[in-house]
Amino acid sequence: MTKSDETIITIENIYKFFGDIEALSNVSLKVRKKEKMVIIGPSGSGKSTLLRAINRLEGVDRGKIVIDGQDITDRHCNINKVRMELGMVFQNFNLFPHKSVLQNLTMAPIKLKKVPPVQARENAMRLLEKVGIKEKATAYPSQLSGGQQQRVAIARALAMNPKIMLFDEPTSALDPEMIGEVLDVMVNLALEGMTMVVVTHEMGFARQVADWVVFMDEGKIVETGTPEHFFQSPEHPRTKKFLSQIL
Amino acid sequence: MRDKNIKIDVTDGAAIPTRRDPGLFNAWRVTLIGTVIAIVSLVIFKPDPYLRIIKFVPDGILITFQVTFLSIALSLIVGLFTGLGRLSKNRAINLIASVYVEVIRGIPLLVQLFYIYYALGTFFRIHPFTAAVTAMTVCYGAYMGEVFRAGIQSIDKGQTEAARSLGFSKSQTMFYVIIPQAMRTILPPVGNEFIALLKDTSLVSILAVSDLLRRGREFATQTFAYFETYTMVALLYLMITLILSKIVSIMEDKVKPYDQK
């Protein structure tokens, strides 16, 4: 895979406290354009907090996060503008239940980017076709299966034409037989060159797609490496232990 | 995960008929039909004084409606801002909204009416109708505020996160995503408040506002037909309340298309 050298996410020495607990402790990362980074780790390791810090759903207490040249830890930064560049997919889908599938996709582009409704709908249909769920455009989220809802959620994020996609355990709330259809969509997205940061327990996905795998524990980055390095010759004992438990 | 079956229970106000509760629906129908039959037969079989009462009170019904609908409209606005204020992270706004609710909930509506009309009336002249609508709005605005707050809080936090992550601002998220969904939870208790408010407008008769009750009293003191007059007044209130509760139930059905379909 060819890569540009341009860094799009820079995280420098961030700290996050929940009361006395250090959720993130001196974490630094760089993601370049078109890179796919997979973050793994046991629950409570801070991996979701780290992901959510990237679009400031979680504010950090110290340190600096720069997204595409914009310092989002700066108080004067217009976070709403930056978030339009950052698609986010949640564990629980969080589709808008009062809107149809199509409206879920067109709402943000129409209201926020002032895209003409006709164009927004065309674009939405194209995205729904891409995630393989075009025939459900007029359905409501409650009428869809979990896998279908998650694919709609991915399409909704893509409808804003983001530069980066963040995935927060996108398959953890799904029945096993539905995980595949969601991962397929994510793999295709990766092949198209999207910049992606993914928190997941799907090691197969990490192996297949990731440029970098980051292992976190107790709010710290323990080890970073390519999938080959990571799965074949992990260095840190904590990483070895974790991998032996889940593989 | 979302809890889809949140229901806010409010004890005041008439029961709202719903087809999903056949017993209640029947009770509503039986009561309405009984009320109409009672009014019609009284007027036909004993036109003196019932027909005269019926002819005397329509001005009052109109005033009752005016007070009710003005107060509903205004208290919805006050209630929305109070509810948002109670949820605000700004401490000053939150405190003001919370104190307002505490104060109003702790003072009987009749005392509030007296206070606005007579007590504040010593400083500036206030028209009785204005005083009535103001007092009803201030009182019910606080109640509605609590309903709005509960309704907004019942919406899953993930909805806010999803909207914010797409780039919606806080207020856009509230108005495009949270409030439309909260409407579903809010409507039954708000409907109850409407009905309770309509009944409470009878208190304004004390301020020389010629509503249904006051017109009735005027008629009764002229004719000494107390029994007949107040019977008719009670039946008319009952009929109006029943019709309003039906309107509320129709509105409720309209607001929930997305998972009943």
Side-chain angles (χ1 to χ4, degrees):
Chain A
M1 252 182 265
T2 54
K3 298 260 153 36
S4 68
D5 269 354
E6 209 178 327
T7 304
I8 195 162
I9 303 175
T10 310
I11 298 174
E12 280 174 9
N13 312 103
I14 58 168
Y15 289 81
K16 168 80 184 175
F17 300 93
F18 291 122
D20 286 341
I21 301 157
E22 251 186 341
L24 293 175
S25 174
N26 198 15
V27 172
S28 299
L29 270 184
K30 265 189 182 12
V31 180
R32 279 169 297 191
K33 270 188 184 163
K34 303 200 171 189
E35 273 184 344
K36 295 97 187 71
M37 180 169 283
V38 172
I39 305 171
I40 62 173
S43 60
S45 60
K47 54 195 193 308
S48 279
T49 309
L50 173 60
L51 189 79
R52 289 159 57 86
I54 295 175
N55 69 354
R56 218 168 85 181
L57 281 182
E58 235 36 280
V60 295
D61 296 314
R62 256 159 68 193
K64 191 168 152 183
I65 301 175
V66 181
I67 307 293
D68 200 20
Q70 303 232 50
D71 182 355
I72 63 161
T73 40
D74 179 356
R75 197 189 276 254
H76 302 291
C77 155
N78 182 352
I79 189 66
N80 296 327
K81 264 248 152 25
V82 179
R83 281 176 178 157
M84 291 186 206
E85 310 284 325
L86 290 163
M88 176 124 182
V89 177
F90 298 88
Q91 185 175 347
N92 291 329
F93 332 131
N94 294 335
L95 292 176
F96 304 133
H98 62 306
K99 299 278 181 191
S100 71
V101 164
L102 191 65
Q103 288 168 329
N104 263 279
L105 267 68
T106 56
M107 192 169 139
I110 292 173
K111 304 270 191 215
L112 297 174
K113 284 192 161 175
K114 309 292 172 206
V115 176
V118 180
Q119 200 185 319
R121 272 194 292 275
E122 275 172 20
N123 190 39
M125 289 309 289
R126 193 177 53 74
L127 287 168
L128 286 175
E129 192 166 10
K130 188 162 137 182
V131 300
I133 195 169
K134 199 173 146 196
E135 70 286 355
K136 295 283 186 189
T138 56
Y140 280 82
S142 58
Q143 297 165 320
L144 304 182
S145 73
Q148 290 172 326
Q149 288 193 47
Q150 194 60 300
R151 285 185 281 151
V152 173
I154 295 172
R156 175 177 69 179
L158 291 173
M160 285 298 277
N161 209 5
K163 289 183 180 155
I164 303 164
M165 285 287 285
L166 309 174
F167 293 83
D168 190 3
E169 302 200 26
T171 56
S172 297
L174 295 174
D175 291 336
E177 75 268 23
M178 289 171 184
I179 291 175
E181 63 192 59
V182 172
L183 288 180
D184 285 348
V185 169
M186 290 170 63
V187 170
N188 284 333
L189 200 58
L191 292 175
E192 285 171 19
M194 176 63 77
T195 309
M196 292 163 73
V197 182
V198 184
V199 171
T200 187
H201 297 293
E202 294 296 325
M203 294 305 138
F205 176 82
R207 233 179 223 157
Q208 187 186 352
V209 169
D211 296 306
W212 303 103
V213 178
V214 174
F215 175 68
M216 287 186 74
D217 191 28
E218 293 176 340
K220 297 183 183 69
I221 292 180
V222 176
E223 194 165 352
T224 307
T226 61
E228 294 77 30
H229 159 85
F230 213 84
F231 293 108
Q232 281 152 27
S233 50
E235 279 159 20
H236 201 281
R238 186 67 191 88
T239 318
K240 285 179 190 162
K241 189 168 166 241
F242 176 75
L243 288 173
S244 71
Q245 279 164 345
I246 58 162
L247 289 179
Chain B
M1 293 304 284
R2 282 170 62 69
D3 184 353
K4 294 213 163 142
N5 294 315
I6 290 168
K7 193 163 184 282
I8 303 164
D9 282 316
V10 176
T11 48
D12 197 4
I16 294 167
T18 157
R19 283 177 198 285
R20 282 176 291 284
D21 185 349
L24 200 54
F25 186 66
N26 281 334
W28 174 82
R29 217 166 4 187
V30 168
T31 317
L32 181 68
I33 292 168
T35 309
V36 173
I37 290 173
I39 293 174
V40 171
S41 48
L42 284 174
V43 168
I44 290 172
F45 296 116
K46 208 162 178 288
D48 185 36
Y50 288 109
L51 187 60
R52 283 169 57 212
I53 300 170
I54 285 273
K55 284 181 175 165
F56 192 81
V57 296
D59 309 3
I61 296 178
L62 188 68
I63 297 282
T64 292
F65 279 156
Q66 283 172 349
V67 174
T68 304
F69 289 109
L70 266 174
S71 307
I72 285 176
L74 292 173
S75 63
L76 278 176
I77 297 167
V78 173
L80 179 59
F81 282 104
T82 309
L84 292 175
R86 293 265 282 145
L87 293 168
S88 173
K89 285 198 183 118
N90 181 317
R91 280 199 190 166
I93 293 173
N94 194 314
L95 189 66
I96 291 168
S98 306
V99 169
Y100 161 62
V101 171
E102 285 308 319
V103 168
I104 295 306
R105 284 208 298 199
I107 301 174
L109 177 53
L110 189 56
V111 176
Q112 291 178 38
L113 276 164
F114 273 36
Y115 197 84
I116 288 179
Y117 185 59
Y118 294 112
L120 297 182
T122 57
F123 301 112
F124 45 85
R125 288 193 64 76
I126 179 163
H127 191 275
F129 184 85
T130 316
V133 172
T134 309
M136 300 297 290
T137 301
V138 168
C139 177
Y140 275 86
Y143 294 156
M144 301 257 192
E146 286 303 274
V147 175
F148 272 102
R149 182 179 63 92
I152 289 168
Q153 278 180 325
S154 75
I155 303 303
D156 187 85
K157 209 169 94 257
Q159 291 290 308
T160 305
E161 291 187 347
R164 294 304 307 274
S165 75
L166 285 165
F168 286 106
S169 69
K170 267 189 191 165
S171 56
Q172 286 170 326
T173 300
M174 197 47 91
F175 286 98
Y176 293 139
V177 177
I178 306 301
I179 290 176
Q181 292 181 56
M183 287 306 289
R184 216 165 49 114
T185 327
I186 286 172
L187 207 62
V190 163
N192 270 313
E193 294 294 320
F194 286 175
I195 295 159
L197 190 152
L198 185 137
K199 291 189 298 178
D200 278 351
T201 59
S202 62
L203 292 172
V204 308
S205 62
I206 222 118
L207 305 186
V209 176
S210 297
D211 74 329
L212 174 54
L213 179 59
R214 186 162 184 105
R215 289 294 283 172
R217 206 169 83 192
E218 285 165 14
F219 187 87
T221 44
Q222 285 167 27
T223 59
F224 301 107
Y226 289 101
F227 177 79
E228 294 84 349
T229 311
Y230 288 124
T231 303
M232 189 51 87
V233 166
L235 286 170
L236 287 172
Y237 269 115
L238 183 56
M239 194 174 74
I240 295 168
T241 312
L242 288 168
I243 291 169
L244 187 62
S245 70
K246 184 64 189 170
I247 293 171
V248 170
S249 88
I250 290 169
M251 273 161 54
E252 261 176 51
D253 278 347
K254 290 232 159 114
V255 178
K256 46 177 75 165
Y258 60 85
D259 56 6
Q260 300 285 326
K261 254 184 202 166

